[in-house]
Amino acid sequence: MKKRTLNMLLIALLAISMFLVGCSSETSNEAGEKKKPQEGGAPAKDTLVYGRGGDSVSLDPITTTEGETFKVTINIFETLLNYGEQDTTIHPGLAEKWEVSDDGLTYTFHLRQGVKFHDGTDFNADAVIYNFNRWMNGDAEKFPYYTMFGGFKKDEGHVIKDIKALDDHTVQFILKRPQAPFLKNLAMSMFGIASPAALEKYGDDFRSHPVGTGPFKFVEWKPNDRIVIEKNPDYWDKNLPKLNKIIFRVIPENTARLNALANGEIDVMDGLNNSDEATVLANDKLQIIERPSMNIGYIGLTTTRKPLDNKLVRQAINHAIDKKTIIDAFYGGKALPAKNPMPPSIEGYNDAIEDYPFDLEKAKALLKEAGYEKGFEIDLWAMPVARPYMPEAQKVAEVIQESLSKINIKANIKSVDWATYLEKANKGEFDMFMLGWTGDNGDPDNFIYTLLDKDSIGSNNYAQYSNDELHKILIEAQTVADQEKRNELYKKAQEIVHEDAPWVPLVHSTPLLAASKDVANYLPHPTGSECLSKVEFK
């Protein structure tokens, strides 16, 4: 009898508890964030914490060339055209369809209707024109990436002749000359369309108050700590985004970032050391994510600074660096030695070029010929953050320092915070510096012209390298529609760069990320920036 009464009491208590649970459709975490229940009553995760090595330097993507910015802004701003989810094929974006005239000079874009900026204002043809007028009337210091369109409005090489609004949702670009990568350029995340009203309201402070049309909208930025973005409830695609919030956390040290992932403090981390891949694979709560490779890690040799203004010295340094040792030590087989300023995956790659072999005697002979038989002292600047093309820059710098000492070059390793590093390198204030590039659009123009043409000095040509013959070839390659002819021009361009040696091309890496096992639909993009609107938790 007692047993039956006890059972009845337990059943009653269970029923009451089920009723109380059923009265609440939401639960809260420690931060007070509401979470909808999954099947079975467990709360669904809807906030992704992304750990990265460095902070953004701006949240106005056109104002910088720095990749940590684009990781965030690609989720806030949208471009006229999009790339494929894991390639650089062209797809609709804010423009649903487009036509190109037979002569390649007129592009007509039909814009998506019913789209609003995060501030509630309308996206339309006038907004597109406003953004392009803003960019084209600037300069390389304000908007370094706009040089993709042949410089600025005041420059002879500027490719855009006019932009017209045919109606609220149709915008037409008229070019001065054909530009083969024009559509791919438009899809680059730095050309995200911003709210004209917000640009007027915030002025120069817009870089801290970004307003776009994207699936996420800006919430807060605590410098060198975190950036928070949250779901845009008025996003034009009602099925996206899947997440409610994303927190980008800065954790500078790679190992500390991995520890935070293993401890559940973050959900995704970039900049995984290749040497830590086995540790991740051994943890059944974690997963490895490989980013498709489209990058170059290099040592820049500032050609305007002595003794690096001497081509023979630059060639000697190329001969003195053992790329194989660096790759074996720090890339775990997930990299290829570089010999050209663009990776083999890009059309127009010149595989016939022979790399400078690791040859210390040849290096010494070139230094003697250049008048530096006794060597010299120089600064070697190493990046303070992990980058996809170079996850352990400081350690790589030590190997390079040791190699250079064998040809009587004393390299003093120096570093500084990331924003200052980029600023000083851009201005040509470093001797040798370690840097790299992840392609923006999959076109050879985006590597050779963007990084090494004289038009790009002050934007992305940190080596301050200038060659008139190279410039002529690169401008011709932009205007030719036939891809085979373009490829031949880019192969010739690589020959010139190889001979002049403004860089030591080091490596093409396969960057590694790690994530908790429950992160789903994370599709890493070869450009290094991916929209996270489809990411969710299993």
Side-chain angles (χ1 to χ4, degrees), residues 138-420:
D139 54 39
E141 187 173 346
K142 288 181 179 179
F143 309 131
Y145 255 111
Y146 190 77
T147 56
M148 296 302 299
F149 297 105
F152 296 83
K153 191 173 183 178
K154 65 182 186 303
D155 299 327
E156 183 181 348
H158 185 229
V159 74
I160 297 175
K161 181 179 179 180
D162 195 12
I163 311 176
K164 300 176 181 178
L166 303 187
D167 57 44
D168 278 355
H169 299 100
T170 311
V171 64
Q172 191 173 77
F173 288 74
I174 300 170
L175 307 188
K176 298 176 185 176
R177 65 177 190 277
Q179 188 186 46
F182 184 71
L183 292 176
K184 285 198 169 189
N185 288 346
L186 290 178
M188 290 163 57
S189 62
M190 52 289 306
F191 300 119
I193 304 299
S195 161
L199 287 166
E200 294 284 352
K201 177 179 178 181
Y202 293 111
D204 290 342
D205 206 28
F206 183 80
R207 59 176 56 215
S208 302
H209 297 87
V211 180
T213 62
F216 294 92
K217 59 183 184 178
F218 174 72
V219 176
E220 68 169 347
W221 182 6
K222 295 181 178 178
N224 297 312
D225 178 14
R226 67 184 57 207
I227 293 172
V228 181
I229 59 177
E230 67 181 10
K231 180 176 184 175
N232 172 13
D234 301 314
Y235 189 52
W236 57 265
D237 187 338
K238 299 306 177 186
N239 297 315
L240 300 175
K242 302 292 188 182
L243 295 166
N244 184 57
K245 186 179 290 185
I246 303 174
I247 301 171
F248 293 90
R249 278 190 56 194
V250 178
I251 305 174
E253 218 284 315
N254 293 14
T255 303
R257 207 153 58 251
L258 179 56
N259 289 338
L261 178 66
N263 294 334
E265 298 169 32
I266 62 177
D267 302 298
V268 177
M269 67 163 287
D270 69 357
L272 179 71
N273 290 339
N274 294 85
S275 55
D276 289 328
E277 183 178 7
T279 301
V280 174
L281 291 173
N283 188 329
D284 61 6
K285 294 181 179 179
L286 303 180
Q287 60 177 309
I288 291 284
I289 299 173
E290 286 193 5
R291 185 180 300 285
S293 180
M294 192 174 71
N295 62 33
I296 172 78
Y298 66 86
I299 303 168
L301 308 174
T302 306
T303 58
T304 53
R305 297 175 71 90
K306 290 186 176 300
L308 300 175
D309 59 342
N310 188 318
K311 179 175 72 174
L312 298 177
V313 172
R314 301 195 299 267
Q315 290 177 344
I317 291 172
N318 269 272
H319 279 295
I321 293 173
D322 186 355
K323 298 173 189 178
K324 185 178 184 303
T325 296
I326 291 170
I327 290 172
D328 290 347
F330 303 112
Y331 290 88
K334 295 287 176 72
L336 296 171
K339 61 182 180 181
N340 290 321
M342 66 186 205
S345 59
I346 301 292
E347 257 195 294
Y349 180 81
N350 191 341
D351 199 32
I353 286 175
E354 293 186 12
D355 197 5
Y356 289 97
F358 175 55
D359 186 338
L360 296 178
E361 293 308 312
K362 177 66 173 176
K364 289 177 183 176
L366 285 167
L367 286 182
K368 182 177 181 180
E369 185 181 349
Y372 292 97
E373 184 176 6
K374 294 182 179 179
F376 51 85
E377 188 170 341
I378 201 167
D379 290 337
L380 169 59
W381 289 83
M383 292 178 295
V385 297
R387 305 305 299 147
Y389 41 77
M390 207 174 293
E392 299 182 84
Q394 296 286 335
K395 292 180 180 179
V396 172
E398 291 171 7
V399 174
I400 293 170
Q401 181 186 50
E402 173 66 19
S403 294
L404 293 177
S405 71
K406 294 176 181 177
I407 60 169
N408 299 317
I409 296 177
K410 181 182 179 183
N412 303 307
I413 298 174
K414 295 187 175 183
S415 194
V416 71
D417 71 272
W418 185 222
T420 305

Side-chain angles (χ1 to χ4, degrees), residues 7 26 52 78 96 143 150 188 200 230 283 302 411 487 499:
N7 286 342
E26 297 178 321
R52 56 193 186 138
E78 293 180 292
E96 291 185 294
F143 309 131
M188 290 163 57
E200 294 284 352
E230 67 181 10
N283 188 329
T302 306
N487 290 347
E499 172 66 19

